[in-house]
């Protein structure tokens, strides 16, 4: 047996287990910045504690010396790892370059080499031997000169790390101080234990450092878990605050400024140095509602108008109180966002909407007025012309009567045109609504037939009207509008048909639809024109149609009415042989409430 | 039998003249009111057998005049011919009036209708 177990070694064994466990635990979280360095630190502690455990249990000097050297494989570098951890945590990773690392690890590496070659030079340990006056086996020695180089170096690096932590602590806002405190506690524990070991004789050569390292490791691990120090590093948070475009202000409980981020400096036109300690009202101006915001203990959110640097602005304020562990208010975090642009855009939108509504109102009024203003003189023209023709003002010569007739024809044509234009404008303005009322299909068709047959006969065409028996007697819809559709389609058919037939057929293509098909044997519509003839003011323009009048609204109105009725319109046309327009409308079962707007 | 009287309530002077000619041809004595505000006064003074009522009138609309006529017992026998350019509005007043004419009104049509509404026919 080269070593025996003694009771004094138990804490060392436990330390090895604790630091080993912390290493593994930290490795699992290695995506968190700094976690990997913490794992290395715990690995170093693990090797140290385990090596020391075996050293303490050794029965011969050779074995004890071996385990003592094993500890020196990782221990000299531990402080450098600690420094890296601190640098990472305080956001100064930029210093961790390969060159700096090589420089920092130079002395620890030399120490490791010197430890393993100590018997040749005794620079590190002089006259190492097993202690005989203590109840455990440990290698004791006098300190060689390199021992002090190494110790001095370790202390220098350690003090440097601690200074970095303290500076960072004083610069951090309250929220993150506890996290830095966790690291400082670790430093303190390690420092104390080392001082005791190196300079004191309290432990009689028993080095408690591995124990304090693992205990400190638990503290840091607790920090990891409790404050997530490796997840949200304060410096990262600082970076966020510094680069965020929102102005961030921290005020103390008395609303005096503790911190401004660069955005806040720009927004308010104050340098942090000048603003420090000023009351928040210096920036915001003093007024009641804002004062209220800054008096409450709860989170506040509000949109307030403010004059900032002589400019009126709308700002969004988000005030978050920061409470200490004792529950008292420590500070307030004020996030200020300039929403003036958005606010202006919102106002512009509201104004634009009002203007559009006004325009619509004006348009509707205009339509009503124009309707009246155009029809009234037309009525007068028609009226007087008819009275003239009828002999009210005395007997007319045949020539005079002929002229009066032409006036009447033109006035009638103009009236129809005005009707179409007004109707088109009404549809465009969205003021045309279709009713859904029951009506007798056959009666409606008869009316249309009576109205149109005169025109068909005048042109010398044949007029066929056919209603399938399957079409229900009563349908639901807007009978006046449907008549208008039919009149427009039949008018169109008559207009473009020189000889032959105009036919109207009413049928049901399926259970849920009924259809009106108007067929003619006229000019037909060229294929390329079939795309646009339903557009307002578009007509087929060719030599065959030069003496046919119209502004191209009939089919446009038909199509829009059909769409208002949730129907479809189809065109089947062969140039020179004729066209068939088929309007398919849904069979409405119930009678919906009549909706509609009137001019 | 006295000649029936027709009151023409119409702000368009030319149209009122046509109505006058046509209604006289149809056998009515006529009087014209150009302003809505004066209409009721003349209606109650004349108590006409027939009224042609324009909807779009200055000061008091044809719609209001129609309501006043229907609410007044002295005018219970007065026939009202509504004249409007707006077919949609015309629809809404069809029940309250005896006849609705949509502008432009054909003189021949007006003459026929006026004759038909004469109390002696």
């Amino acid at each position: 047996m080269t070593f025996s177990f003694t009771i004094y070694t138990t804490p060392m064994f436990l330390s090895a287990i604790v630091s080993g466990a912390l290493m593994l635990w930290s490795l699992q979280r290695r995506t968190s910045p700094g976690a990997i360095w913490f794992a290395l630190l715990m690995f170093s502690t693990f090797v140290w504690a385990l090596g020391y455990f075996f050293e303490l249990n050794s029965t011969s000097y050779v074995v004890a010396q071996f385990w003592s050297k094993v500890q020196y494989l990782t221990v000299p570098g531990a402080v450098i790892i600690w420094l890296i951890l601190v640098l990472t945590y305080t956001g100064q990773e930029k210093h961790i370059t390969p060159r700096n690392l090589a420089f920092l690890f130079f002395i620890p590496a030399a120490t490791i080499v010197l430890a393993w070659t100590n018997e040749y030079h005794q620079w590190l340990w002089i006259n190492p031997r097993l202690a005989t006056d203590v109840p455990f086996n440990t290698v004791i020695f006098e300190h060689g000169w390199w021992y002090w180089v190494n110790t001095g170096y370790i202390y220098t690096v350690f003090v440097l790390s601690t200074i970095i932590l303290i500076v960072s602590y004083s610069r951090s806002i309250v929220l993150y101080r506890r996290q830095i405190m966790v690291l400082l506690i670790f430093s303190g524990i390690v420092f104390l234990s080392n001082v005791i070991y190196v300079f004191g004789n309290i432990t009689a050569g028993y080095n408690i450092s591995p124990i304090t390292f693992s205990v400190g490791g638990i503290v840091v691990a607790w920090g990891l878990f409790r404050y997530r120090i490796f997840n949200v590093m304060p410096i990262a948070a600082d970076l966020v605050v510094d680069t965020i475009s929102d102005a961030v202000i921290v005020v103390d409980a008395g609303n005096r400024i503790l911190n401004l981020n660069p955005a806040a400096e720009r927004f308010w036109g104050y340098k942090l140095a000048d603003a420090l300690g000023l009351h928040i009202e210096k920036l915001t101006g003093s007024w009641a509602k804002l004062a209220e915001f800054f008096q409450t203990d709860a989170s506040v959110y509000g949109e307030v108008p403010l004059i900032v640097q002589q400019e009126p602005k709308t700002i969004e304020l988000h005030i978050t109180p920061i409470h200490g562990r004792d529950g008292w208010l420590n500070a307030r975090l004020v996030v200020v966002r300039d929403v003036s642009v958005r606010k202006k855009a919102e106002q512009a939108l509201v104004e634009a909407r009002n203007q559009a509504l006004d325009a619509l109102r004006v348009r509707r009024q205009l339509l009503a007025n124009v309707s009246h203003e155009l029809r009234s003189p037309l009525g007068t023209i028609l009226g007087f012309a008819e009275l003239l023709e009828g002999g009210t003002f005395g007997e007319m010569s045949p020539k005079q009567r002929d002229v009066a007739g032409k006036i009447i024809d033109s006035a009638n044509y103009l009236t129809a045109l005005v009707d179409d234009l007004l109707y088109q404008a009404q549809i465009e303005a969205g003021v045309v609504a279709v009713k859904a009322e029951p009506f007798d299909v056959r009666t409606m068709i008869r009316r249309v037939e009576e109205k149109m047959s005169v025109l068909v006969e005048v042109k010398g065409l044949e007029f066929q009207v056919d209603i399938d028996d399957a079409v229900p007697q009563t349908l639901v819809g807007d009978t006046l509008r449907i008549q208008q559709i039919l009149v427009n389609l039949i008018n169109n058919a008559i207009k473009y048909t020189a000889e032959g037939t105009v036919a109207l057929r009413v049928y049901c293509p399926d259970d849920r639809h009924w259809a009106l098909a108007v067929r003619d044997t006229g000019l037909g519509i060229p294929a390329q024109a079939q795309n646009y003839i339903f557009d307002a003011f578009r007509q087929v323009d060719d030599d065959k149609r030069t003496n046919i009048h119209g502004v191209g609204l009939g089919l446009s109105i038909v199509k829009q009415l059909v769409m208002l009725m949730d129907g479809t319109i189809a065109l089947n046309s062969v140039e020179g042989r004729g066209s068939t327009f088929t309007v398919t409308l849904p069979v409405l079962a119930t009678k919906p409430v009549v909706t509609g707007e009137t001019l | 039998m006295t000649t029936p009287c027709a009151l023409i309530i119409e702000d368009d002077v030319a149209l009122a003249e046509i109505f006058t000619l046509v209604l006289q041809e149809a056998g009515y004595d006529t009087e014209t009111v150009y302003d809505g505000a004066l209409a009721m006064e003349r209606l109650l003074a004349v108590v006409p057998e027939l009224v042609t009522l324009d909807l779009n009138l200055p000061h008091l609309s044809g719609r209001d005049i129609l309501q006043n006529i229907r609410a007044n017992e002295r005018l219970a026998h007065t026939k009202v011919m509504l004249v409007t350019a707006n077919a949609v509005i015309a629809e809404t007043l069809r029940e309250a009036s005896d006849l609705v004419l949509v502008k432009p009104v054909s003189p021949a049509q007006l003459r026929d209708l006026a004759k038909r509404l004469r109390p002696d026919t």
Side-chain angles (χ1 to χ4, degrees):
Chain A
M1 236 350 234
T2 49
F3 59 81
S4 65
F5 181 79
T6 72
I7 189 74
Y8 297 94
T9 64
T10 311
M12 230 26 90
F13 187 68
L14 288 175
S15 293
I17 289 172
V18 166
S19 52
L22 285 172
M23 175 188 74
L24 294 174
W25 183 80
S26 180
L27 275 178
Q28 283 173 350
R29 286 153 185 77
R30 63 183 169 276
T31 48
S32 301
I36 197 82
W37 295 109
F38 180 69
L40 267 174
L41 191 66
M42 285 301 104
F43 171 69
S44 155
T45 310
F46 170 73
V47 172
W48 190 3
L50 203 66
Y52 199 39
F53 167 75
F54 284 120
E55 180 190 331
L56 291 172
N57 287 314
S58 302
T59 48
S60 72
Y61 163 70
V62 179
V63 176
Q65 175 72 348
F66 171 77
W67 288 113
S68 171
K69 286 175 178 174
V70 165
Q71 295 165 51
Y72 262 71
L73 280 175
T74 59
V75 172
V79 73
I80 307 300
I81 293 166
W82 174 246
L83 174 65
I84 292 168
L85 185 59
V86 167
L87 285 174
T88 309
Y89 181 58
T90 55
Q92 300 173 72
E93 300 99 320
K94 63 175 184 288
H95 298 304
I96 310 169
T97 61
R99 223 188 69 183
N100 284 353
L101 284 182
F103 176 75
L104 284 168
F105 276 112
F106 177 75
I107 288 180
T111 306
I112 293 167
V113 172
L114 290 174
W116 284 86
T117 57
N118 189 63
E119 45 272 40
Y120 304 108
H121 45 69
Q122 301 218 11
W123 285 1
L124 194 57
W125 307 307
I126 299 166
N127 190 24
R129 60 201 177 275
L130 269 187
T132 51
D133 52 349
V134 287
F136 45 82
N137 302 321
T138 184
V139 177
I140 55 166
F141 46 82
E142 278 81 55
H143 304 307
W145 68 274
W146 186 263
Y147 183 89
W148 295 113
V149 170
N150 181 49
T151 305
Y153 181 67
I154 285 171
Y155 276 81
T156 307
V157 173
F158 193 80
V159 167
L160 179 68
S161 310
T162 310
I163 289 171
I164 291 170
L165 277 179
I166 290 170
V167 168
S168 176
Y169 179 88
S170 65
R171 282 212 314 226
S172 284
I173 59 167
V174 180
L175 203 57
Y176 297 113
R177 288 191 169 170
R178 259 182 235 126
Q179 304 176 12
I180 297 177
M181 187 52 91
V182 167
L183 294 182
L184 277 170
I185 289 169
F186 179 82
S187 299
I189 292 171
V190 169
F191 182 74
L192 271 176
S193 71
N194 222 264
V195 166
I196 291 167
Y197 173 66
V198 176
F199 297 104
N201 271 321
I202 302 160
T203 53
Y206 184 88
N207 190 348
I208 59 164
S209 292
I211 301 169
T212 56
F213 259 75
S214 43
V215 169
I218 291 171
V219 172
V220 174
W222 171 72
L224 267 170
F225 175 72
R226 177 69 179 82
Y227 295 120
R228 300 164 179 271
I229 56 175
F230 291 150
N231 289 342
V232 188
M233 292 184 301
I235 201 66
D238 275 355
L239 273 175
V240 170
V241 171
D242 282 354
T243 50
I244 198 168
S245 61
D246 294 342
V248 179
I249 308 167
V250 185
V251 293
D252 65 12
N255 292 323
R256 295 190 182 280
I257 293 162
L258 292 179
N259 203 353
L260 292 182
N261 74 341
E265 288 182 328
R266 282 192 301 275
F267 186 68
W268 301 102
Y270 259 94
K271 282 273 150 221
L272 172 59
D274 304 325
L276 267 179
L278 291 180
H279 196 276
I280 185 82
E281 282 183 356
K282 277 277 181 209
L283 299 188
T284 59
S286 65
W287 45 288
K289 192 177 174 195
L290 208 63
E292 216 174 275
F293 277 6
F294 282 100
Q295 267 156 24
T296 163
D297 227 15
S299 255
V300 194
Y301 169 83
E303 222 174 67
V304 291
L306 272 193
I307 306 283
V308 180
Q309 300 191 58
Q310 277 93 48
E311 228 184 288
K313 291 194 183 264
T314 308
I315 64 166
E316 209 177 75
L317 266 184
H318 211 130
I319 304 174
T320 312
I322 301 167
H323 294 278
R325 294 203 77 160
D326 48 13
W328 289 100
L329 183 76
N330 274 340
R332 287 189 175 92
L333 186 68
V334 186
V335 180
V336 179
R337 179 174 295 176
D338 185 357
V339 292
S340 309
V341 175
R342 195 192 75 200
K343 205 75 192 166
K344 271 184 199 143
E346 279 173 9
Q347 272 164 4
L349 267 180
V350 169
E351 274 164 30
R353 185 175 175 274
N354 286 341
Q355 276 171 10
L357 286 175
D358 283 349
L360 189 63
R361 259 194 296 279
V362 168
R363 197 170 178 182
R364 285 179 188 180
Q365 196 53 49
L366 189 75
L367 282 175
N369 292 345
V370 164
S371 174
H372 186 256
E373 295 305 320
L374 285 177
R375 281 160 185 266
S376 292
L378 271 173
T380 312
I381 293 168
L382 260 179
F384 278 126
E386 282 184 29
L387 290 177
L388 263 179
E389 194 194 32
T392 303
F393 305 110
E395 202 51 45
M396 306 259 286
S397 71
K399 181 67 194 164
Q400 285 170 329
R401 245 202 314 280
D402 179 46
V403 169
K406 281 178 176 155
I407 294 173
I408 293 167
D409 285 350
S410 291
N412 274 327
Y413 173 65
L414 199 54
T415 306
L417 213 57
V418 166
D419 283 351
D420 276 358
L421 277 170
L422 285 173
Y423 205 70
Q424 170 71 22
Q426 284 176 14
I427 291 175
E428 274 178 16
V431 296
V432 172
V434 289
K435 289 179 195 164
E437 284 172 339
F439 65 94
D440 187 320
V441 186
R442 286 166 179 84
T443 306
M444 181 202 74
I445 297 295
R446 200 162 46 244
R447 250 186 235 146
V448 173
E449 194 180 348
E450 281 167 9
K451 194 169 177 181
M452 303 312 291
S453 57
V454 184
L455 284 172
V456 179
E457 280 163 22
V458 165
K459 201 115 189 248
L461 304 170
E462 191 192 350
F463 194 23
Q464 297 172 353
V465 178
D466 172 46
I467 307 176
D468 275 14
D469 292 340
V471 177
Q473 193 63 32
T474 305
L475 284 165
V476 174
D478 192 327
T479 172
L480 282 176
R481 309 280 192 222
I482 295 168
Q483 283 184 53
Q484 193 177 352
I485 289 171
L486 282 175
V487 167
N488 280 15
L489 288 177
I490 294 168
N491 253 328
N492 218 50
I494 296 168
K495 210 154 78 171
Y496 295 106
T497 307
E499 55 184 19
T501 313
V502 171
L504 167 61
R505 183 175 163 235
V506 187
Y507 63 101
C508 286
D510 59 61
D511 288 353
R512 287 174 293 120
H513 296 90
W514 64 292
L516 300 149
V518 176
R519 182 174 56 83
D520 66 54
T521 55
L523 291 170
I525 296 159
Q528 78 275 8
Q530 294 185 13
N531 293 324
Y532 63 71
I533 51 151
F534 289 110
D535 295 347
F537 307 109
R538 292 296 296 269
Q539 288 175 300
V540 181
D541 187 16
D542 60 24
D543 296 344
K544 288 173 242 162
R545 294 161 227 255
T546 42
N547 55 357
I548 297 172
H549 297 289
V551 287
L553 280 172
L555 287 178
S556 162
I557 289 172
V558 165
K559 174 151 195 203
Q560 291 176 85
L561 282 177
V562 168
M563 281 165 70
L564 279 174
M565 294 172 182
D566 293 326
T568 55
I569 182 160
L571 165 62
N572 188 355
S573 183
V574 178
E575 214 180 343
R577 293 180 57 185
S579 310
T580 305
F581 287 90
T582 308
V583 172
T584 307
L585 297 170
V587 172
L588 302 174
T590 53
K591 183 190 170 186
V593 180
V594 177
T595 56
E597 220 173 322
T598 53
L599 278 170
Chain B
M1 170 116 202
T2 54
T3 313
C5 187
L7 189 67
I8 299 159
I9 307 175
E10 171 63 63
D11 65 327
D12 184 326
V13 181
L15 202 58
E17 194 187 333
I18 292 173
F19 285 5
T20 304
L21 289 166
V22 171
L23 292 176
Q24 284 173 359
E25 278 180 2
Y28 287 85
D29 282 339
T30 62
E31 184 180 329
T32 307
V33 178
Y34 300 103
D35 191 318
L38 301 172
M40 275 323 284
E41 186 192 319
R42 291 314 300 156
L43 274 164
L44 293 171
V46 177
V47 192
E49 276 73 27
L50 177 68
V51 173
T52 71
L53 178 60
D54 185 18
L55 267 190
N56 209 344
L57 286 168
H59 301 117
L60 188 62
S61 80
R63 187 187 292 267
D64 293 335
I65 296 170
L66 181 61
Q67 269 179 2
N68 290 344
I69 293 172
R70 289 308 178 219
N72 197 311
E73 275 195 26
R74 287 183 59 200
L75 300 171
H77 298 292
T78 299
K79 306 279 184 196
V80 180
M81 242 186 210
L82 209 60
V83 184
T84 172
N86 193 315
V88 180
I89 291 179
E91 276 303 301
T92 65
L93 295 171
R94 195 173 278 283
E95 285 197 6
S97 52
D98 296 284
L99 258 178
V100 175
L101 294 178
V102 178
K103 288 181 185 176
V105 177
S106 152
Q109 192 192 9
L110 177 62
R111 191 187 299 124
D112 290 350
L113 292 168
K115 276 184 185 165
R116 239 184 274 171
L117 287 174
R118 261 170 62 171
D120 51 348
T121 54

